[in-house]
Amino acid sequence: MFLSVIILFVLFFFTAKNYKNNNLVPKGIAGFLEPLVTFVRDDIAIPNIGKKADKYTPYLLTVFFFVWINNLIGLIPFFPFSSNLTGNIFFTFVLAFITFLVTVFSGNKNYWKHILSPPVPKALYLIMIPIEIIGIFTKPFALMIRLFANITAGHIIILSLVSLIFIFNSVAVAPISGVFVLFMSVLELIVAALQAYVFTLLTALFIGQAVEDHDHH
């Protein structure tokens, strides 16, 4: 985790330095990161949060790059990498809990009104209010499980493919296992970015529901 923090700091330090030098056209690392930053801002934060997106974009960017970098670190099979951090449920719990805190403390009166006084007949309040309150907790829980399960599943499949060599106790299985491991590794590269995107998108969606100005029906 500290290694990913260092990588994150170095990447954005040099990116900031590039813009500080008044370079209108980003170069090097800045040229690579700028499209990703604008993507998170324009395609995730603004559509889901609206006019208050600028307030939460730094958090969304941090979540996106932090999760993505840790996913990639888990795919590099040698020291000092190879740690499957996002496959640790305690790690995903903390990330989801932070999103939970941001969402709850950002909730406006419309958000809490929808939960404590849902737009249904009053006879249904006894059922709907507990469901709405439970929903506050199930959303971050889904975030936690989704990231943990998807990352862990990929690593288990790769481990299973390698284990086939020892299960069959035959070198002849090695080329077949190797091809499938290579395929899964490439697929995991896509999953690494996809899961960072999904986690960030759902975080933005939950925050957007909490800060929207009109009643949500």
Side-chain angles (χ1 to χ4, degrees), residues 99-100 102-118 132-133 135-137 139-140 205-216:
T99 292
F100 167 76
V102 172
T103 303
V104 168
F105 286 105
S106 297
N108 57 24
K109 63 179 182 180
N110 291 323
Y111 174 73
W112 292 109
K113 181 181 178 182
H114 179 84
I115 293 172
L116 301 176
S117 180
E132 291 288 346
I133 293 174
I136 298 175
F137 299 97
K139 290 175 182 177
L205 182 63
F206 298 155
I207 294 173
Q209 291 174 345
V211 302
E212 63 181 353
D213 292 325
H214 59 279
D215 289 324
H216 180 63

mmCIF file of all heavy atoms in Angstrom, residues 99-100 102-118 132-133 135-137 139-140 205-216:
data_model
loop_
_atom_site.group_PDB
_atom_site.id
_atom_site.type_symbol
_atom_site.label_atom_id
_atom_site.label_comp_id
_atom_site.label_asym_id
_atom_site.label_seq_id
_atom_site.Cartn_x
_atom_site.Cartn_y
_atom_site.Cartn_z
ATOM 1 N N THR A 99 -16.070 5.865 1.549
ATOM 2 C CA THR A 99 -17.148 6.295 0.649
ATOM 3 C C THR A 99 -18.458 6.449 1.426
ATOM 4 O O THR A 99 -19.223 7.396 1.202
ATOM 5 C CB THR A 99 -17.337 5.276 -0.489
ATOM 6 O OG1 THR A 99 -16.186 5.310 -1.340
ATOM 7 C CG2 THR A 99 -18.574 5.594 -1.318
ATOM 8 N N PHE A 100 -18.710 5.529 2.343
ATOM 9 C CA PHE A 100 -19.899 5.594 3.194
ATOM 10 C C PHE A 100 -19.914 6.892 4.004
ATOM 11 O O PHE A 100 -20.936 7.591 4.069
ATOM 12 C CB PHE A 100 -19.929 4.384 4.126
ATOM 13 C CG PHE A 100 -20.923 4.478 5.252
ATOM 14 C CD1 PHE A 100 -22.277 4.294 5.014
ATOM 15 C CD2 PHE A 100 -20.506 4.770 6.541
ATOM 16 C CE1 PHE A 100 -23.197 4.385 6.048
ATOM 17 C CE2 PHE A 100 -21.410 4.858 7.578
ATOM 18 C CZ PHE A 100 -22.767 4.668 7.344
ATOM 19 N N VAL A 102 -18.248 9.734 3.393
ATOM 20 C CA VAL A 102 -18.389 10.880 2.491
ATOM 21 C C VAL A 102 -19.848 11.042 2.071
ATOM 22 O O VAL A 102 -20.386 12.157 2.046
ATOM 23 C CB VAL A 102 -17.485 10.714 1.247
ATOM 24 C CG1 VAL A 102 -17.784 11.801 0.225
ATOM 25 C CG2 VAL A 102 -16.019 10.747 1.642
ATOM 26 N N THR A 103 -20.497 9.933 1.755
ATOM 27 C CA THR A 103 -21.888 9.975 1.310
ATOM 28 C C THR A 103 -22.825 10.444 2.419
ATOM 29 O O THR A 103 -23.652 11.341 2.215
ATOM 30 C CB THR A 103 -22.337 8.572 0.820
ATOM 31 O OG1 THR A 103 -21.479 8.134 -0.223
ATOM 32 C CG2 THR A 103 -23.762 8.621 0.303
ATOM 33 N N VAL A 104 -22.676 9.858 3.595
ATOM 34 C CA VAL A 104 -23.569 10.182 4.710
ATOM 35 C C VAL A 104 -23.414 11.632 5.158
ATOM 36 O O VAL A 104 -24.403 12.343 5.367
ATOM 37 C CB VAL A 104 -23.320 9.222 5.898
ATOM 38 C CG1 VAL A 104 -24.026 9.711 7.154
ATOM 39 C CG2 VAL A 104 -23.800 7.824 5.546
ATOM 40 N N PHE A 105 -22.173 12.098 5.280
ATOM 41 C CA PHE A 105 -21.948 13.465 5.753
ATOM 42 C C PHE A 105 -22.190 14.512 4.660
ATOM 43 O O PHE A 105 -22.260 15.706 4.959
ATOM 44 C CB PHE A 105 -20.534 13.607 6.321
ATOM 45 C CG PHE A 105 -20.370 12.955 7.665
ATOM 46 C CD1 PHE A 105 -19.695 11.753 7.809
ATOM 47 C CD2 PHE A 105 -20.923 13.534 8.793
ATOM 48 C CE1 PHE A 105 -19.556 11.150 9.044
ATOM 49 C CE2 PHE A 105 -20.793 12.946 10.049
ATOM 50 C CZ PHE A 105 -20.111 11.742 10.172
ATOM 51 N N SER A 106 -22.320 14.058 3.416
ATOM 52 C CA SER A 106 -22.636 14.990 2.328
ATOM 53 C C SER A 106 -24.132 15.061 2.063
ATOM 54 O O SER A 106 -24.593 15.934 1.328
ATOM 55 C CB SER A 106 -21.927 14.553 1.037
ATOM 56 O OG SER A 106 -20.531 14.584 1.175
ATOM 57 N N GLY A 107 -24.882 14.133 2.654
ATOM 58 C CA GLY A 107 -26.321 14.072 2.392
ATOM 59 C C GLY A 107 -27.039 15.352 2.795
ATOM 60 O O GLY A 107 -26.880 15.837 3.914
ATOM 61 N N ASN A 108 -27.854 15.880 1.885
ATOM 62 C CA ASN A 108 -28.624 17.086 2.191
ATOM 63 C C ASN A 108 -30.006 16.715 2.735
ATOM 64 O O ASN A 108 -30.325 15.542 2.923
ATOM 65 C CB ASN A 108 -28.739 17.986 0.947
ATOM 66 C CG ASN A 108 -29.366 17.257 -0.238
ATOM 67 O OD1 ASN A 108 -30.100 16.280 -0.072
ATOM 68 N ND2 ASN A 108 -29.076 17.735 -1.445
ATOM 69 N N LYS A 109 -30.841 17.715 2.949
ATOM 70 C CA LYS A 109 -32.153 17.450 3.567
ATOM 71 C C LYS A 109 -33.040 16.594 2.668
ATOM 72 O O LYS A 109 -33.855 15.795 3.161
ATOM 73 C CB LYS A 109 -32.838 18.771 3.909
ATOM 74 C CG LYS A 109 -33.150 19.654 2.713
ATOM 75 C CD LYS A 109 -33.857 20.932 3.155
ATOM 76 C CE LYS A 109 -34.218 21.798 1.951
ATOM 77 N NZ LYS A 109 -34.910 23.038 2.365
ATOM 78 N N ASN A 110 -32.897 16.737 1.353
ATOM 79 C CA ASN A 110 -33.696 15.923 0.441
ATOM 80 C C ASN A 110 -33.310 14.448 0.543
ATOM 81 O O ASN A 110 -34.164 13.562 0.458
ATOM 82 C CB ASN A 110 -33.517 16.407 -1.001
ATOM 83 C CG ASN A 110 -34.142 17.763 -1.239
ATOM 84 O OD1 ASN A 110 -35.202 18.062 -0.695
ATOM 85 N ND2 ASN A 110 -33.484 18.599 -2.022
ATOM 86 N N TYR A 111 -32.013 14.205 0.711
ATOM 87 C CA TYR A 111 -31.511 12.835 0.836
ATOM 88 C C TYR A 111 -32.084 12.163 2.083
ATOM 89 O O TYR A 111 -32.598 11.038 2.012
ATOM 90 C CB TYR A 111 -29.979 12.867 0.891
ATOM 91 C CG TYR A 111 -29.324 11.539 1.171
ATOM 92 C CD1 TYR A 111 -29.271 10.542 0.205
ATOM 93 C CD2 TYR A 111 -28.722 11.277 2.419
ATOM 94 C CE1 TYR A 111 -28.653 9.324 0.462
ATOM 95 C CE2 TYR A 111 -28.096 10.072 2.678
ATOM 96 C CZ TYR A 111 -28.059 9.098 1.697
ATOM 97 O OH TYR A 111 -27.451 7.901 1.952
ATOM 98 N N TRP A 112 -32.008 12.863 3.205
ATOM 99 C CA TRP A 112 -32.508 12.296 4.458
ATOM 100 C C TRP A 112 -34.026 12.261 4.486
ATOM 101 O O TRP A 112 -34.624 11.360 5.099
ATOM 102 C CB TRP A 112 -31.961 13.086 5.645
ATOM 103 C CG TRP A 112 -30.488 12.903 5.813
ATOM 104 C CD1 TRP A 112 -29.506 13.823 5.576
ATOM 105 C CD2 TRP A 112 -29.823 11.699 6.220
ATOM 106 N NE1 TRP A 112 -28.276 13.286 5.808
ATOM 107 C CE2 TRP A 112 -28.432 11.976 6.205
ATOM 108 C CE3 TRP A 112 -30.255 10.434 6.589
ATOM 109 C CZ2 TRP A 112 -27.484 11.013 6.553
ATOM 110 C CZ3 TRP A 112 -29.326 9.479 6.932
ATOM 111 C CH2 TRP A 112 -27.953 9.768 6.912
ATOM 112 N N LYS A 113 -34.660 13.195 3.817
ATOM 113 C CA LYS A 113 -36.128 13.186 3.740
ATOM 114 C C LYS A 113 -36.599 11.961 2.969
ATOM 115 O O LYS A 113 -37.599 11.326 3.321
ATOM 116 C CB LYS A 113 -36.624 14.462 3.068
ATOM 117 C CG LYS A 113 -38.145 14.541 2.967
ATOM 118 C CD LYS A 113 -38.589 15.817 2.273
ATOM 119 C CE LYS A 113 -40.105 15.839 2.136
ATOM 120 N NZ LYS A 113 -40.573 17.056 1.412
ATOM 121 N N HIS A 114 -35.878 11.641 1.901
ATOM 122 C CA HIS A 114 -36.231 10.464 1.089
ATOM 123 C C HIS A 114 -36.090 9.177 1.912
ATOM 124 O O HIS A 114 -36.864 8.231 1.726
ATOM 125 C CB HIS A 114 -35.318 10.384 -0.137
ATOM 126 C CG HIS A 114 -35.587 9.192 -1.000
ATOM 127 N ND1 HIS A 114 -36.575 9.188 -1.952
ATOM 128 C CD2 HIS A 114 -35.008 7.961 -1.059
ATOM 129 C CE1 HIS A 114 -36.591 8.005 -2.564
ATOM 130 N NE2 HIS A 114 -35.651 7.244 -2.032
ATOM 131 N N ILE A 115 -35.125 9.161 2.838
ATOM 132 C CA ILE A 115 -34.899 7.970 3.654
ATOM 133 C C ILE A 115 -35.888 7.893 4.817
ATOM 134 O O ILE A 115 -36.506 6.848 5.065
ATOM 135 C CB ILE A 115 -33.457 7.956 4.192
ATOM 136 C CG1 ILE A 115 -32.473 7.767 3.030
ATOM 137 C CG2 ILE A 115 -33.266 6.854 5.235
ATOM 138 C CD1 ILE A 115 -31.024 7.927 3.418
ATOM 139 N N LEU A 116 -36.067 9.007 5.527
ATOM 140 C CA LEU A 116 -36.894 9.012 6.733
ATOM 141 C C LEU A 116 -38.364 9.288 6.441
ATOM 142 O O LEU A 116 -39.229 9.024 7.285
ATOM 143 C CB LEU A 116 -36.352 10.054 7.719
ATOM 144 C CG LEU A 116 -34.896 9.835 8.154
ATOM 145 C CD1 LEU A 116 -34.428 10.960 9.056
ATOM 146 C CD2 LEU A 116 -34.739 8.481 8.855
ATOM 147 N N SER A 117 -38.642 9.854 5.253
ATOM 148 C CA SER A 117 -40.025 10.099 4.852
ATOM 149 C C SER A 117 -40.176 9.768 3.376
ATOM 150 O O SER A 117 -40.367 10.652 2.538
ATOM 151 C CB SER A 117 -40.406 11.567 5.117
ATOM 152 O OG SER A 117 -41.746 11.798 4.739
ATOM 153 N N PRO A 118 -40.079 8.483 3.030
ATOM 154 C CA PRO A 118 -40.089 8.075 1.622
ATOM 155 C C PRO A 118 -41.406 8.420 0.938
ATOM 156 O O PRO A 118 -42.457 8.488 1.584
ATOM 157 C CB PRO A 118 -39.886 6.554 1.692
ATOM 158 C CG PRO A 118 -40.289 6.169 3.073
ATOM 159 C CD PRO A 118 -39.976 7.335 3.938
ATOM 160 N N GLU A 132 -34.988 1.623 3.586
ATOM 161 C CA GLU A 132 -34.154 2.753 3.156
ATOM 162 C C GLU A 132 -32.914 2.879 4.048
ATOM 163 O O GLU A 132 -31.814 3.166 3.551
ATOM 164 C CB GLU A 132 -34.963 4.057 3.204
ATOM 165 C CG GLU A 132 -36.077 4.158 2.171
ATOM 166 C CD GLU A 132 -35.552 4.357 0.765
ATOM 167 O OE1 GLU A 132 -34.352 4.679 0.608
ATOM 168 O OE2 GLU A 132 -36.330 4.199 -0.185
ATOM 169 N N ILE A 133 -33.075 2.667 5.342
ATOM 170 C CA ILE A 133 -31.937 2.756 6.270
ATOM 171 C C ILE A 133 -30.939 1.627 5.993
ATOM 172 O O ILE A 133 -29.719 1.841 5.972
ATOM 173 C CB ILE A 133 -32.419 2.711 7.734
ATOM 174 C CG1 ILE A 133 -33.215 3.979 8.051
ATOM 175 C CG2 ILE A 133 -31.234 2.577 8.691
ATOM 176 C CD1 ILE A 133 -33.870 3.989 9.419
ATOM 177 N N GLY A 135 -30.526 0.261 3.185
ATOM 178 C CA GLY A 135 -29.909 0.599 1.897
ATOM 179 C C GLY A 135 -28.683 1.487 2.034
ATOM 180 O O GLY A 135 -27.772 1.433 1.202
ATOM 181 N N ILE A 136 -28.642 2.308 3.092
ATOM 182 C CA ILE A 136 -27.469 3.153 3.331
ATOM 183 C C ILE A 136 -26.227 2.295 3.521
ATOM 184 O O ILE A 136 -25.123 2.651 3.078
ATOM 185 C CB ILE A 136 -27.690 4.034 4.588
ATOM 186 C CG1 ILE A 136 -28.869 4.979 4.385
ATOM 187 C CG2 ILE A 136 -26.426 4.830 4.916
ATOM 188 C CD1 ILE A 136 -29.221 5.790 5.618
ATOM 189 N N PHE A 137 -26.402 1.141 4.153
ATOM 190 C CA PHE A 137 -25.270 0.262 4.467
ATOM 191 C C PHE A 137 -24.997 -0.773 3.379
ATOM 192 O O PHE A 137 -23.860 -1.206 3.211
ATOM 193 C CB PHE A 137 -25.529 -0.444 5.807
ATOM 194 C CG PHE A 137 -25.683 0.491 6.969
ATOM 195 C CD1 PHE A 137 -26.950 0.869 7.398
ATOM 196 C CD2 PHE A 137 -24.577 1.024 7.614
ATOM 197 C CE1 PHE A 137 -27.107 1.745 8.468
ATOM 198 C CE2 PHE A 137 -24.715 1.891 8.676
ATOM 199 C CZ PHE A 137 -25.982 2.253 9.103
ATOM 200 N N LYS A 139 -25.147 -0.362 0.168
ATOM 201 C CA LYS A 139 -24.418 0.216 -0.965
ATOM 202 C C LYS A 139 -22.900 0.114 -0.778
ATOM 203 O O LYS A 139 -22.205 -0.401 -1.655
ATOM 204 C CB LYS A 139 -24.856 1.665 -1.186
ATOM 205 C CG LYS A 139 -26.274 1.789 -1.733
ATOM 206 C CD LYS A 139 -26.714 3.238 -1.814
ATOM 207 C CE LYS A 139 -28.145 3.338 -2.324
ATOM 208 N NZ LYS A 139 -28.637 4.747 -2.338
ATOM 209 N N PRO A 140 -22.341 0.605 0.340
ATOM 210 C CA PRO A 140 -20.887 0.421 0.533
ATOM 211 C C PRO A 140 -20.500 -1.037 0.695
ATOM 212 O O PRO A 140 -19.398 -1.436 0.312
ATOM 213 C CB PRO A 140 -20.584 1.225 1.814
ATOM 214 C CG PRO A 140 -21.896 1.379 2.497
ATOM 215 C CD PRO A 140 -22.925 1.423 1.417
ATOM 216 N N LEU A 205 -21.925 7.844 -8.017
ATOM 217 C CA LEU A 205 -23.382 7.683 -8.061
ATOM 218 C C LEU A 205 -23.987 7.819 -6.670
ATOM 219 O O LEU A 205 -24.999 8.512 -6.488
ATOM 220 C CB LEU A 205 -23.722 6.309 -8.655
ATOM 221 C CG LEU A 205 -25.209 5.987 -8.821
ATOM 222 C CD1 LEU A 205 -25.861 6.953 -9.804
ATOM 223 C CD2 LEU A 205 -25.389 4.553 -9.288
ATOM 224 N N PHE A 206 -23.372 7.198 -5.674
ATOM 225 C CA PHE A 206 -23.883 7.276 -4.306
ATOM 226 C C PHE A 206 -23.785 8.704 -3.769
ATOM 227 O O PHE A 206 -24.706 9.191 -3.106
ATOM 228 C CB PHE A 206 -23.105 6.322 -3.389
ATOM 229 C CG PHE A 206 -23.240 4.875 -3.780
ATOM 230 C CD1 PHE A 206 -22.258 3.949 -3.433
ATOM 231 C CD2 PHE A 206 -24.329 4.431 -4.517
ATOM 232 C CE1 PHE A 206 -22.385 2.614 -3.788
ATOM 233 C CE2 PHE A 206 -24.451 3.093 -4.886
ATOM 234 C CZ PHE A 206 -23.475 2.179 -4.525
ATOM 235 N N ILE A 207 -22.665 9.362 -4.056
ATOM 236 C CA ILE A 207 -22.499 10.759 -3.611
ATOM 237 C C ILE A 207 -23.516 11.649 -4.319
ATOM 238 O O ILE A 207 -24.118 12.539 -3.708
ATOM 239 C CB ILE A 207 -21.062 11.251 -3.882
ATOM 240 C CG1 ILE A 207 -20.068 10.477 -3.011
ATOM 241 C CG2 ILE A 207 -20.949 12.749 -3.603
ATOM 242 C CD1 ILE A 207 -18.610 10.773 -3.327
ATOM 243 N N GLY A 208 -23.717 11.403 -5.611
ATOM 244 C CA GLY A 208 -24.686 12.188 -6.384
ATOM 245 C C GLY A 208 -26.093 12.075 -5.827
ATOM 246 O O GLY A 208 -26.837 13.069 -5.780
ATOM 247 N N GLN A 209 -26.479 10.880 -5.386
ATOM 248 C CA GLN A 209 -27.796 10.686 -4.784
ATOM 249 C C GLN A 209 -27.922 11.446 -3.473
ATOM 250 O O GLN A 209 -29.020 11.876 -3.102
ATOM 251 C CB GLN A 209 -28.039 9.193 -4.552
ATOM 252 C CG GLN A 209 -28.204 8.385 -5.830
ATOM 253 C CD GLN A 209 -28.291 6.889 -5.569
ATOM 254 O OE1 GLN A 209 -27.954 6.418 -4.478
ATOM 255 N NE2 GLN A 209 -28.728 6.140 -6.569
ATOM 256 N N ALA A 210 -26.809 11.604 -2.776
ATOM 257 C CA ALA A 210 -26.833 12.278 -1.468
ATOM 258 C C ALA A 210 -26.875 13.800 -1.587
ATOM 259 O O ALA A 210 -27.394 14.473 -0.691
ATOM 260 C CB ALA A 210 -25.617 11.862 -0.650
ATOM 261 N N VAL A 211 -26.326 14.348 -2.670
ATOM 262 C CA VAL A 211 -26.207 15.812 -2.771
ATOM 263 C C VAL A 211 -27.163 16.443 -3.771
ATOM 264 O O VAL A 211 -27.173 17.667 -3.925
ATOM 265 C CB VAL A 211 -24.762 16.219 -3.133
ATOM 266 C CG1 VAL A 211 -23.787 15.699 -2.107
ATOM 267 C CG2 VAL A 211 -24.386 15.730 -4.539
ATOM 268 N N GLU A 212 -27.970 15.632 -4.467
ATOM 269 C CA GLU A 212 -28.876 16.211 -5.462
ATOM 270 C C GLU A 212 -29.855 17.150 -4.785
ATOM 271 O O GLU A 212 -30.297 16.920 -3.661
ATOM 272 C CB GLU A 212 -29.591 15.126 -6.245
ATOM 273 C CG GLU A 212 -30.503 14.237 -5.429
ATOM 274 C CD GLU A 212 -31.145 13.173 -6.261
ATOM 275 O OE1 GLU A 212 -30.992 13.191 -7.502
ATOM 276 O OE2 GLU A 212 -31.804 12.284 -5.682
ATOM 277 N N ASP A 213 -30.216 18.230 -5.492
ATOM 278 C CA ASP A 213 -31.012 19.291 -4.881
ATOM 279 C C ASP A 213 -32.511 19.031 -4.910
ATOM 280 O O ASP A 213 -33.259 19.608 -4.140
ATOM 281 C CB ASP A 213 -30.737 20.626 -5.610
ATOM 282 C CG ASP A 213 -29.327 21.099 -5.357
ATOM 283 O OD1 ASP A 213 -28.824 20.885 -4.243
ATOM 284 O OD2 ASP A 213 -28.702 21.665 -6.291
ATOM 285 N N HIS A 214 -32.974 18.179 -5.825
ATOM 286 C CA HIS A 214 -34.406 17.939 -5.934
ATOM 287 C C HIS A 214 -34.775 16.608 -5.298
ATOM 288 O O HIS A 214 -33.929 15.749 -5.100
ATOM 289 C CB HIS A 214 -34.859 17.953 -7.398
ATOM 290 C CG HIS A 214 -34.161 16.922 -8.224
ATOM 291 N ND1 HIS A 214 -32.889 17.106 -8.732
ATOM 292 C CD2 HIS A 214 -34.538 15.665 -8.617
ATOM 293 C CE1 HIS A 214 -32.525 16.021 -9.416
ATOM 294 N NE2 HIS A 214 -33.495 15.139 -9.351
ATOM 295 N N ASP A 215 -36.020 16.433 -5.012
ATOM 296 C CA ASP A 215 -36.507 15.178 -4.438
ATOM 297 C C ASP A 215 -36.336 14.074 -5.438
ATOM 298 O O ASP A 215 -36.648 14.217 -6.618
ATOM 299 C CB ASP A 215 -37.989 15.292 -4.045
ATOM 300 C CG ASP A 215 -38.187 16.181 -2.833
ATOM 301 O OD1 ASP A 215 -37.317 16.142 -1.948
ATOM 302 O OD2 ASP A 215 -39.192 16.910 -2.790
ATOM 303 N N HIS A 216 -35.834 12.938 -4.954
ATOM 304 C CA HIS A 216 -35.602 11.787 -5.827
ATOM 305 C C HIS A 216 -36.776 10.823 -5.704
ATOM 306 O O HIS A 216 -37.080 10.354 -4.617
ATOM 307 C CB HIS A 216 -34.304 11.069 -5.413
ATOM 308 C CG HIS A 216 -34.007 9.885 -6.248
ATOM 309 N ND1 HIS A 216 -33.756 9.963 -7.590
ATOM 310 C CD2 HIS A 216 -33.921 8.556 -5.925
ATOM 311 C CE1 HIS A 216 -33.514 8.761 -8.070
ATOM 312 N NE2 HIS A 216 -33.619 7.879 -7.069
#
